[in-house]
């Protein structure tokens, strides 16, 4: 945070308050203070508490930490207000150029928290709006990780290939879905919902889609097309044996370089290499009849998004490498980031003694698409899906927990199952599964609620495979403008 008179590069501005929440790079550093003017500030961490900031020209910002509503009102009055309510204090701060307030709020509740994109579209120095805004900058999702793993359903979905009828699921009343154009302008695609809802609309390549509450987005028979911006990494993998030629989709928030390897990762097995431009999807198509059955590893110089599309099938997000990668069953193949088999390949998890690894499966016996693994660093506690479901598998690497599965019948959530899973671990997770090749019921909005994080993979109403992305507590760091 620092005192500013113009909006800082890749940051936020509220009056004289300048903030950066993205990760520093050599090309765009945040420090040292003597060079950039930034000071390390306290972050809000607990719901119900506040941090009030006052920036000072040429000095470190002051931070006040009221622990509840009463203390917040008192701090506001000490800073010059004359208020008796929290709303009065928030309105006072929003009109003072040297003040700002942050808090951890829950996006699943009644308080409306605008996505960062809505703030970003207001201009370089927006006036008071009387609303809360998520502090998540578009190229950094990590300040959402208040529960240790990214809350994918609260981040932007990036469209890497233009699609019609992209389906969305929104389990919470008041959900608003926005489209973010490549110039940062926004369009409301779905107005505030009156209850749990699902639907579809068209999505355009390189545009992003974000909501004020948790959502899930997918395109049946084109599961490669929509990727959460938080599901990003420098090491990805997959394999193929059919539906050739196969196309890889790559998207980055920053300019970077990448290379694709087939088999052991070394220069002699490099298939191609290239550069990615920020905000633009790039593709690479394997020559027909080449590298079938090989472990394909993709390595980037900065975190990227990655998906894969076969010619008529096997379309999915690729597998991001991690310490422990969970999967539906023992089918398919696995790989370390060096292109060798992982040292341990249990039924529902693969891991290696020294390197990150991934797993990928095709031809699971139902449907015509592939499915990716998910590392322990990317799984969630809650999931939703806005279409029919035919079957699902739950993989639990944590303590004993009940996972409640419900579907929306148009007027109420109906319990489908409650799975009482015994304690698992990263190396020996416990599992539950149900369903077969017919829809579990006719309902088109589902949610899974756990007591802790778990991996979820489904077959949808077309029997196509989907490894799911969800959210955790729903808590986000927010500021009032």
């Amino acid at each position: 945070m620092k005192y500013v008179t113009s909006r800082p590069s890749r940051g936020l501005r509220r009056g004289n308050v300048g903030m950066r929440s993205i990760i520093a790079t050599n090309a765009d550093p945040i420090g040292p203070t003597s060079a950039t003017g930034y000071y390390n500030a306290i972050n809000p961490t607990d719901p119900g508490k506040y941090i009030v900031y006052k920036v000072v020209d040429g000095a470190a910002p002051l931070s006040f930490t009221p622990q509840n509503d009463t203390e917040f009102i008192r701090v506001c009055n000490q800073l010059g207000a004359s208020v008796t309510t929290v709303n009065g204090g928030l309105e006072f701060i929003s009109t003072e150029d040297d003040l700002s307030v942050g808090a951890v709020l829950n996006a699943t509740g009644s308080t409306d928290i605008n996505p960062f994109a809505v703030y970003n579209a207001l201009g370089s120095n927006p006036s008071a709006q009387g609303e809360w805004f998520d502090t998540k900058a578009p190229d950094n999702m990590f300040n959402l990780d208040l529960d240790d793993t990214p809350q994918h359903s609260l981040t932007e979905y990036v469209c890497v290939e233009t699609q019609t009828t992209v389906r969305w699921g929104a389990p919470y009343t008041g959900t608003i879905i926005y489209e973010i154009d490549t110039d940062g302008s926004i369009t409301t695609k779905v107005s505030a919902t009156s209850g749990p809802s699902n639907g579809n609309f068209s999505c355009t390549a390189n545009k992003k889609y974000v909501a004020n509450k948790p959502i899930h987005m997918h395109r049946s028979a084109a599961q490669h097309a929509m990727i959460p911006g938080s599901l990003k990494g420098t090491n990805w993998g997959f394999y193929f044996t059919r539906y050739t030629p196969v196309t890889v989709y790559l998207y980055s928030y920053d300019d970077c370089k990448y290379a694709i390897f087939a088999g052991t990762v070394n220069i002699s097995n490099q298939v191609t290499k290239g550069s990615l431009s920020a905000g633009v999807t790039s593709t690479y198509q394997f020559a027909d009849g080449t590298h079938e059955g090989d472990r394909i590893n993709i390595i980037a110089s900065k975190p990227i998004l990655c998906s894969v599309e076969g010619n008529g099938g096997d379309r999915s997000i690729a597998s991001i490498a991690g310490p422990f990668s969970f999967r539906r069953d023992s089918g398919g193949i696995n790989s370390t980031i060096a292109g060798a088999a992982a040292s341990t390949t249990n039924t529902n998890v693969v891991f290696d003694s020294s390197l990150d690894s991934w797993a990928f499966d095709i031809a699971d016996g139902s449907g015509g698409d592939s499915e990716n693994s998910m590392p322990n660093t990317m799984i969630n506690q809650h999931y939703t899906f806005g279409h029919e479901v035919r079957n699902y598998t739950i993989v639990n690497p944590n303590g004993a927990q009940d996972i409640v599965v419900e579907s929306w019948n148009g007027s109420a959530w109906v319990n489908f199952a409650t799975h009482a899973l015994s304690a698992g671990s990263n190396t020996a997770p416990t599992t539950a599964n149900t369903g077969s090749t017919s829809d579990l019921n006719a309902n088109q909005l589902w949610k899974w609620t756990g007591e802790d994080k778990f991996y979820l993979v489904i077959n949808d109403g077309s029997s196509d495979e989907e490894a799911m992305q969800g959210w955790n507590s729903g808590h986000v760091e927010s500021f009032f403008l």
Side-chain angles (χ1 to χ4, degrees):
M1 183 173 289
K2 66 177 177 178
Y3 182 97
V4 297
T5 55
S6 60
R7 184 170 179 173
S9 170
R10 305 173 77 183
L12 313 175
R13 181 189 179 190
R14 220 301 299 159
N16 296 131
V17 181
M19 294 179 281
R20 275 276 295 271
S21 62
I22 71 168
I23 295 174
T25 65
N26 289 336
D28 196 4
I30 296 177
T33 299
S34 58
T36 67
Y38 276 111
Y39 292 86
N40 195 22
I42 300 172
N43 277 23
T45 56
D46 298 312
K49 301 178 182 180
Y50 303 85
I51 298 182
V52 177
Y53 304 100
K54 182 175 182 178
V55 292
V56 180
D57 190 7
L62 304 176
S63 297
F64 305 87
T65 57
Q67 301 296 290
N68 52 47
D69 291 350
T70 299
E71 290 186 13
F72 172 70
I73 293 169
R74 182 164 60 246
V75 167
C76 291
N77 289 333
Q78 290 171 344
L79 292 171
S82 180
V83 299
T84 57
T85 65
V86 169
N87 285 340
L90 293 173
E91 291 171 2
F92 164 75
I93 289 174
S94 69
T95 59
E96 293 291 312
D97 283 347
D98 295 343
L99 299 179
S100 185
V101 57
V104 172
L105 303 176
N106 198 294
T108 68
S110 58
T111 300
D112 188 24
I113 306 166
N114 292 288
F116 176 89
V118 176
Y119 162 83
N120 199 46
L122 293 174
S124 60
N125 186 24
S127 59
Q129 303 292 306
E131 297 178 346
W132 287 97
F133 293 84
D134 189 340
T135 60
K136 172 184 63 64
D139 52 357
N140 175 39
M141 311 301 172
F142 295 100
N143 70 328
L144 281 177
D145 303 355
L146 298 176
D147 303 290
D148 300 325
T149 62
Q151 301 196 86
H152 308 293
S153 294
L154 285 165
T155 67
E156 304 162 347
Y157 277 83
V158 177
C159 180
V160 297
E161 185 185 45
T162 298
Q163 300 288 333
T164 58
T165 60
V166 172
R167 299 199 63 87
W168 53 270
Y172 294 104
T173 299
T175 299
I176 305 170
I177 304 177
Y178 302 92
E179 177 183 75
I180 310 169
D181 209 335
T182 53
D183 64 359
S185 60
I186 61 171
T187 302
T188 300
K189 299 290 286 188
V190 176
S191 298
T193 58
S194 58
S197 303
N198 68 296
N200 66 80
F201 52 72
S202 297
C203 293
T204 304
N206 298 323
K207 293 187 179 182
K208 293 170 285 196
Y209 300 82
V210 68
N212 60 334
K213 298 181 183 298
I215 61 170
H216 181 268
M217 299 186 71
H218 80 285
R219 170 68 162 90
S220 294
Q223 287 86 349
H224 65 284
M226 306 297 294
I227 312 174
S230 52
L231 189 62
K232 61 181 181 178
T234 56
N235 292 90
W236 294 81
F238 70 98
Y239 85 111
F240 62 93
T241 60
R242 58 185 187 174
Y243 295 127
T244 57
V246 169
T247 302
V248 179
Y249 293 80
L250 304 170
Y251 181 95
S252 179
Y253 281 92
D254 289 301
D255 294 345
C256 69
K257 298 183 183 299
Y258 73 95
I260 300 178
F261 301 87
T264 304
V265 175
N266 57 47
I267 193 65
S268 63
N269 289 332
Q270 182 174 282
V271 177
T272 190
K273 65 178 180 178
S275 299
L276 301 178
S277 298
V280 179
T281 301
S282 295
T283 61
Y284 174 78
Q285 188 173 90
F286 286 85
D288 202 1
T290 63
H291 303 300
E292 294 184 18
D294 289 344
R295 294 181 175 93
I296 306 299
N297 273 279
I298 300 157
I299 301 175
S301 60
K302 294 181 181 179
I304 64 171
L305 313 183
C306 181
S307 66
V308 57
E309 178 189 20
N311 182 23
D314 289 347
R315 295 150 296 204
S316 75
I317 297 172
S319 290
I320 187 171
F324 300 92
S325 289
F326 304 115
R327 58 182 180 173
R328 185 196 298 261
D329 53 37
S330 58
I333 69 169
N334 66 84
S335 176
T336 69
I337 59 175
S343 59
T344 303
T345 56
N346 295 335
T347 301
N348 299 109
V349 63
V350 303
F351 56 96
D352 188 73
S353 58
S354 58
L355 298 173
D356 284 350
S357 59
W358 52 265
F360 199 78
D361 195 13
I362 61 176
D364 72 348
S366 180
D369 277 314
S370 50
E371 65 189 31
N372 56 293
S373 62
M374 197 75 78
N376 60 309
T377 54
M378 289 287 179
I379 59 174
N380 296 115
Q381 183 181 352
H382 304 275
Y383 298 87
T384 191
F385 188 72
H387 210 193
E388 295 99 344
V389 175
R390 293 192 171 178
N391 60 65
Y392 59 83
T393 295
I394 294 167
V395 179
N396 171 40
N398 292 302
Q401 62 170 315
D402 288 346
I403 296 176
V404 179
V405 184
E406 300 170 285
S407 64
W408 179 255
N409 67 5
S411 58
W413 289 105
V414 178
N415 181 275
F416 176 79
T418 298
H419 300 281
L421 282 89
S422 57
S425 66
N426 282 331
T427 59
T430 54
T431 63
N433 59 76
T434 192
S436 58
T437 58
S438 299
D439 293 347
L440 298 177
N441 59 34
N443 297 338
Q444 296 191 5
L445 181 61
W446 289 75
K447 68 176 180 178
W448 292 257
T449 304
E451 297 175 280
D452 207 334
K453 302 171 189 69
F454 59 96
Y455 170 69
L456 176 67
V457 59
I458 71 170
N459 279 75
D460 64 21
S462 300
S463 289
D464 289 333
E465 297 86 347
E466 312 255 358
M468 298 293 291
Q469 314 92 35
W471 69 101
N472 299 319
S473 66
H475 291 147
V476 296
E477 294 178 18
S478 308
F479 71 100
F480 192 83
L481 174 59

